[in-house]
Amino acid sequence: MSTKVKKRTLINDIASHLEVSIATVSLVLNGKAKQSRISDAVAERVLKYVEEVGYKPNHLAKSLRTGKTHVIGLVVEDIANPFFATVAALIERQAFERGYRIIYCSTNNEPAKARELIAMFQERHVDGFIVVPSEGIDKEVSDILREQTPIVLFDRYLPDLPTNYVVVDGAQGTAEATRHLLAQGYTNIAFITTDSVQTQMEARLQGYTQVLEEQNLPRKVQRVVVTKDTEPIIAGIQEFLQANPEVDAILFSTNYLSIYGLEAISRLGLRIPDDLAIISYDDHDLFRLYTPAITVIAQPVESIAKNVIDILLHELQEPGDQATAAPQSLVLAPSLVIRKSSLKTAVVIPKPVAAVGLG
Amino acid sequence: MSTKVKKRTLINDIASHLEVSIATVSLVLNGKAKQSRISDAVAERVLKYVEEVGYKPNHLAKSLRTGKTHVIGLVVEDIANPFFATVAALIERQAFERGYRIIYCSTNNEPAKARELIAMFQERHVDGFIVVPSEGIDKEVSDILREQTPIVLFDRYLPDLPTNYVVVDGAQGTAEATRHLLAQGYTNIAFITTDSVQTQMEARLQGYTQVLEEQNLPRKVQRVVVTKDTEPIIAGIQEFLQANPEVDAILFSTNYLSIYGLEAISRLGLRIPDDLAIISYDDHDLFRLYTPAITVIAQPVESIAKNVIDILLHELQEPGDQATAAPQSLVLAPSLVIRKSSLKTAVVIPKPVAAVGLG
DNA sequence: TTGAAAGCGCTAACAT
DNA sequence: ATGTTAGCGCTTTCAA
């Protein structure tokens, strides 16, 4: 009666067509032919026929049986943020090559969302986690740890939990940026950051603070409350600038704050770097192309991705008990990419030969 | 001997603790208590205990049994492209609210990658597909259609296949942009596009061509080969500009081309809009914040996302045979957001009161 | 009203 | 060397 359209081939079909048992087929397909001493002839016949009919095992059944899904859950703060998008893409590619799939989701730094996503990933039985932890999810992470599911954090870590993590030395980055500004002759350097007190933000703040303390120079830290509505953020930065006219340079602690900052600066009609020098944490298309181009503290995205996935896959493939092994923690170095927004004397770049006369 | 740490609660545990059958528990949990005439008292006891122990059914087992995963596969061109990232995020949110999860992947417009991803999603038994089709995947899409798995395309469609799709009227967008440039007094308008001949690109080209034809004005279309290496793209645009000094305005067919274009223009030291007016397809942080701000043809991202997910969920929940129903196709209107990059006479925007004297 | 039991498609221990 | 079979955890029909 019903018009059955799908008729996937099953392992059963293969076995009966070939007149062997399904165990033989399964063994061959899982590369265990040799160790089960299945004859090469049979193995080859199986492989050939499987290829011929395009048989694909049902992953659901396989996973249900083995308890392994070969899926990794990736929880980032915001996949639309180019930093996270880049790292995610790199991680995905490497995982794919090694037979793992990634499913990713953004928390928007909301602990509730983060908890929900972790729960969802657990329900989906991911084999491992890669997490950019938002505040207040210590409990969920420690649950994962207790269940001995492999996990690697990146960008920041949870100081109270013995997890693997890969982070960047934010303090070193901001310290270097601050020294660069001082060397350029800026003396009133402000630091604009978020209201987060997570490790990566505190480190970035600390690098700035320490250098200025050493020089006995004034610090000026502005913490901006990050809301969904961007207008108050921009307005807040504008107000800060107006209230502190002596400030001659600003270090932004993260890429999106810099973007809001550029908007605020543009609205106030201030010129970069003449009125105000700018350095941002994180690189971005916008910063490269902005006029003037923005100096940034760039994070080593390839290295972050590579190390994260290496650590995770190692645990995934390691039969040993993870709980007993010491967690791995890695601190990578950022690099300062100097562009025009932080140079006191504008550098004159020679025009290309024969500038075209358009218009 | 072994230290078993995980001990998930199973439906069995619930049933035996409550001294009811597992069928009863299952029925209650799936909201079929009423229709199976299970007593309210029992139903309530089940729900209460389930809540208490935090029982979560094993999705793998459930899916294996029901054949439904409640997962939708989303295949986009490039998740790092703000246009796709935004639409994906909106789709994800709406799907989530309705009990579906999204797994997404980027094809980078490589047919092989697209095929691989579709295969992977099929292996994972997604309930439905949302796809931004790259060229050459007609076969895969028609396979999906034949298996009667619901699918919705967006951004572009495959003219030969009767699928649901949601696209934007690119021709209308570029026509309006072209007219705007003409109204501003630009007469030598070039169109820079990719080497793609897919529907969305051809439509954008056509809007431009038609308006200029009507006015008997010269067309100048430059097709840029998009490669992974960005340098040749930028250089190509530079060469085009140098070879065509009479061009006084450019329409870019997509956001990333505009970004390369801005780089080329900046290298040549040309001024926008005095030497060259610029309009981009797609909005972007960069375009809003660039000096001067870039006029864009903006796509209605919210509407795209909403319609895509509505059509898909409708099919997912509709018991009827999809193959017989006519596919839905939707063409939405873009909007021209006029900024300074396309205005012949620079508009003077009054500075905010009391511009601060910094530095 | 509720319970027993038959699978969903696969793997792997145990037979042969 | 290969076949038999007992589950993985759940849903759902059918019987009681």
Side-chain angles (χ1 to χ4, degrees):
Chain A
M1 271 290 128
S2 74
T3 44
K4 272 263 187 287
V5 179
K6 344 185 160 190
K7 232 197 181 134
R8 283 180 97 109
T9 314
L10 304 183
I11 194 168
N12 228 329
D13 304 332
I14 307 281
S16 56
H17 175 93
L18 257 30
E19 298 185 305
V20 300
S21 87
I22 62 169
T24 306
V25 178
S26 174
L27 258 9
V28 170
L29 253 27
N30 291 299
K32 297 180 180 167
K34 276 276 171 292
Q35 82 185 57
S36 306
R37 289 177 297 186
I38 286 168
S39 70
D40 288 358
V42 171
E44 208 161 307
R45 275 207 312 144
V46 170
L47 259 10
K48 183 156 168 294
Y49 186 65
V50 160
E51 167 80 4
E52 192 181 322
V53 298
Y55 165 72
K56 295 262 183 272
N58 181 329
H59 272 255
L60 290 169
K62 193 168 186 162
S63 297
L64 177 60
R65 184 59 235 243
T66 60
K68 297 266 155 273
T69 55
H70 280 245
V71 172
I72 293 167
L74 171 55
V75 181
V76 298
E77 178 177 323
D78 176 13
I79 195 68
N81 180 323
F83 168 66
F84 293 117
T86 309
V87 175
L90 292 168
I91 286 177
E92 186 183 356
R93 172 135 39 89
Q94 300 215 24
F96 193 92
E97 286 167 6
R98 309 220 225 155
Y100 282 86
R101 306 292 170 259
I102 301 282
I103 58 183
Y104 32 90
C105 278
S106 309
T107 63
N108 302 317
N109 235 354
E110 295 164 28
K113 187 87 191 290
R115 279 192 281 267
E116 206 167 54
L117 293 174
I118 288 178
M120 166 195 141
F121 285 162
Q122 280 171 325
E123 279 180 31
R124 301 274 161 204
H125 296 258
V126 297
D127 288 352
F129 284 92
I130 298 173
V131 177
V132 176
S134 45
E135 287 173 72
I137 61 159
D138 285 59
K139 185 180 168 311
E140 284 68 28
V141 172
S142 84
D143 283 351
I144 294 173
L145 246 26
R146 188 151 29 74
E147 292 198 353
Q148 305 202 17
T149 306
I151 180 170
V152 181
L153 310 183
F154 80 95
D155 190 56
R156 51 239 202 199
Y157 62 97
L158 300 171
D160 301 332
L161 258 26
T163 65
N164 302 302
Y165 63 79
V166 176
V167 297
V168 168
D169 189 343
Q172 180 191 324
T174 50
E176 192 181 341
T178 307
R179 277 191 222 102
H180 162 70
L181 287 170
L182 292 175
Q184 288 293 314
Y186 297 99
T187 49
N188 252 292
I189 307 170
F191 187 79
I192 298 192
T193 185
T194 70
D195 51 346
S196 161
V197 294
Q198 289 197 277
T199 55
Q200 86 287 15
M201 289 305 179
E202 290 303 280
R204 295 173 195 177
L205 172 58
Q206 194 228 318
Y208 159 84
T209 308
Q210 191 184 323
V211 169
L212 291 188
E213 264 175 3
E214 284 168 11
Q215 306 290 323
N216 264 313
L217 285 168
R219 271 94 44 204
K220 189 153 286 164
V221 175
Q222 176 70 359
R223 287 193 184 260
V224 173
V225 178
V226 179
T227 50
K228 275 191 225 308
D229 185 11
T230 61
E231 206 42 55
I233 305 177
I234 298 168
I237 299 175
Q238 267 184 277
E239 280 161 28
F240 171 78
L241 292 176
Q242 288 179 304
N244 297 276
E246 73 286 2
V247 165
D248 61 1
I250 301 185
L251 198 51
F252 289 99
S253 71
T254 183
N255 55 10
Y256 55 88
L257 271 189
S258 310
I259 294 177
Y260 300 135
L262 290 177
E263 179 104 42
I265 290 165
S266 145
R267 290 189 192 172
L268 290 173
L270 298 172
R271 289 160 307 155
I272 302 171
D274 302 331
D275 297 331
L276 208 51
I278 297 291
I279 296 183
S280 177
Y281 205 93
D282 289 332
D283 206 351
H284 194 292
D285 272 348
L286 173 61
F287 302 150
R288 248 184 336 100
L289 290 170
Y290 202 82
T291 310
I294 309 294
T295 295
V296 300
I297 300 158
Q299 307 200 59
V301 283
E302 295 84 3
S303 178
I304 294 173
K306 178 160 184 5
N307 283 293
V308 164
I309 198 72
D310 279 352
I311 294 174
L312 190 69
L313 291 185
H314 178 77
E315 290 215 356
L316 247 18
Q317 280 144 18
E318 192 62 43
D321 187 328
Q322 252 53 63
T324 62
Q328 299 216 42
S329 52
L330 224 55
V331 181
L332 304 173
S335 58
L336 186 66
V337 180
I338 298 173
R339 301 199 180 108
K340 293 194 193 171
S341 71
S342 63
L343 295 180
K344 195 103 192 189
T345 313
V347 175
V348 179
I349 292 194
K351 291 269 170 61
V353 251
V356 248
L358 286 197
Chain B
M1 270 293 125
S2 75
T3 45
K4 271 263 187 284
V5 180
K6 343 186 161 190
K7 222 180 190 153
R8 284 180 96 109
T9 315
L10 304 183
I11 195 169
N12 227 330
D13 304 332
I14 307 281
S16 56
H17 176 93
L18 258 28
E19 298 184 307
V20 300
S21 86
I22 64 169
T24 306
V25 178
S26 174
L27 259 8
V28 170
L29 253 28
N30 291 301
K32 297 183 179 165
K34 275 276 170 292
Q35 83 186 54
S36 305
R37 290 178 297 187
I38 286 168
S39 70
D40 288 358
V42 170
E44 208 161 308
R45 275 206 312 143
V46 170
L47 258 11
K48 183 157 167 294
Y49 186 66
V50 159
E51 168 80 5
E52 192 181 321
V53 299
Y55 165 72
K56 295 262 182 272
N58 181 329
H59 272 257
L60 289 169
K62 194 169 187 161
S63 297
L64 178 59
R65 183 58 232 245
T66 61
K68 298 265 155 275
T69 55
H70 280 245
V71 172
I72 293 168
L74 172 55
V75 182
V76 298
E77 179 177 325
D78 176 13
I79 196 67
N81 181 324
F83 168 67
F84 293 117
T86 309
V87 175
L90 292 167
I91 286 177
E92 186 183 357
R93 173 135 37 90
Q94 300 215 25
F96 193 91
E97 287 167 6
R98 309 219 224 153
Y100 281 86
R101 306 292 171 259
I102 302 283
I103 58 183
Y104 32 88
C105 279
S106 309
T107 63
N108 303 316
N109 234 354
E110 295 164 27
K113 187 87 191 288
R115 279 191 281 266
E116 206 167 54
L117 292 174
I118 288 178
M120 165 193 140
F121 285 162
Q122 280 171 326
E123 278 179 33
R124 301 273 161 204
H125 296 258
V126 297
D127 288 352
F129 284 92
I130 299 173
V131 177
V132 176
S134 46
E135 287 173 74
I137 62 159
D138 286 58
K139 185 179 169 311
E140 284 68 28
V141 172
S142 84
D143 284 350
I144 294 173
L145 246 27
R146 188 151 29 73
E147 292 198 353
Q148 304 202 17
T149 306
I151 180 169
V152 181
L153 310 184
F154 81 95
D155 190 58
R156 50 232 200 205
Y157 62 97
L158 300 171
D160 301 331
L161 257 25
T163 65
N164 302 302
Y165 63 81
V166 176
V167 297
V168 167
D169 188 343
Q172 180 191 324
T174 49
E176 192 180 342
T178 308
R179 279 191 222 100
H180 161 70
L181 287 170
L182 292 174
Q184 288 292 314
Y186 297 99
T187 49
N188 253 292
I189 307 172
F191 187 79
I192 298 190
T193 184
T194 70
D195 51 346
S196 162
V197 294
Q198 289 197 275
T199 56
Q200 85 288 14
M201 289 305 179
E202 290 303 280
R204 295 173 195 177
L205 172 57
Q206 194 229 317
Y208 158 85
T209 308
Q210 192 184 322
V211 169
L212 291 187
E213 265 176 2
E214 283 168 10
Q215 307 290 322
N216 264 313
L217 285 168
R219 272 95 42 204
K220 188 153 287 164
V221 175
Q222 175 71 0
R223 288 193 184 260
V224 173
V225 178
V226 179
T227 50
K228 277 191 225 307
D229 185 10
T230 61
E231 205 44 53
I233 305 177
I234 298 168
I237 298 175
Q238 265 184 278
E239 280 162 27
F240 171 77
L241 292 176
Q242 287 179 305
N244 297 275
E246 73 286 2
V247 165
D248 59 3
I250 301 185
L251 199 51
F252 289 98
S253 71
T254 183
N255 55 10
Y256 55 87
L257 271 190
S258 311
I259 294 177
Y260 300 135
L262 290 178
E263 179 103 42
I265 290 165
S266 145
R267 290 188 191 173
L268 290 174
L270 298 172
R271 289 158 308 155
I272 303 171
D274 302 330
D275 298 330
L276 210 51
I278 297 291
I279 297 184
S280 177
Y281 205 92
D282 289 332
D283 206 352
H284 194 292
D285 272 349
L286 173 61
F287 302 151
R288 249 187 332 100
L289 290 170
Y290 202 82
T291 309
I294 308 294
T295 295
V296 299
I297 300 159
Q299 306 201 59
V301 282
E302 295 84 2
S303 178
I304 294 172
K306 180 163 183 0
N307 283 294
V308 165
I309 198 74
D310 279 353
I311 294 174
L312 190 68
L313 290 185
H314 177 79
E315 291 214 357
L316 247 18
Q317 279 143 19
E318 192 62 43
D321 187 328
Q322 252 54 60
T324 63
Q328 299 216 41
S329 53
L330 224 56
V331 181
L332 304 173
S335 58
L336 187 66
V337 179
I338 298 173
R339 301 200 180 106
K340 293 194 193 169
S341 72
S342 63
L343 296 180
K344 194 102 191 188
T345 314
V347 174
V348 179
I349 292 192
K351 291 269 170 60
V353 252
V356 249
L358 287 196

